[in-house]
């Protein structure tokens, strides 16, 4: 079992909060930019 601190992380481009790697993102981690569906939906309001 791995520790959460060992997982890679990124900063959300909308809210600026850090988020860590999830198993469902293992095939597309390079293209993940948003921490949640809410931030993805609100991307136009902040850009």
């Amino acid at each position: 079992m791995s520790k959460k601190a060992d997982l890679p992380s990124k900063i959300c481009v909308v809210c600026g909060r850090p988020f860590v790697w999830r198993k469902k993102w293992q095939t597309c981690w390079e293209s993940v930019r948003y921490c949640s569906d809410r931030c993805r939906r609100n991307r136009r309001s902040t850009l």
Side-chain angles (χ1 to χ4, degrees):
M1 186 154 81
S2 66
K3 295 182 180 180
K4 206 170 193 180
D6 296 337
L7 297 174
S9 64
K10 291 184 178 183
I11 304 295
C12 179
V13 296
V14 175
C15 67
R17 293 180 180 171
F19 63 97
V20 295
W21 181 90
R22 295 182 186 173
K23 185 164 178 72
K24 69 178 184 178
W25 291 332
Q26 68 185 351
T27 59
C28 61
W29 177 244
E30 299 301 320
S31 63
V32 173
R33 298 176 61 202
Y34 309 105
C35 64
S36 65
D37 288 336
R38 181 179 180 184
C39 282
R40 186 175 45 81
R41 283 192 307 267
N42 293 330
R43 68 182 175 250
R44 302 225 190 285
S45 63
T46 59
L47 294 177

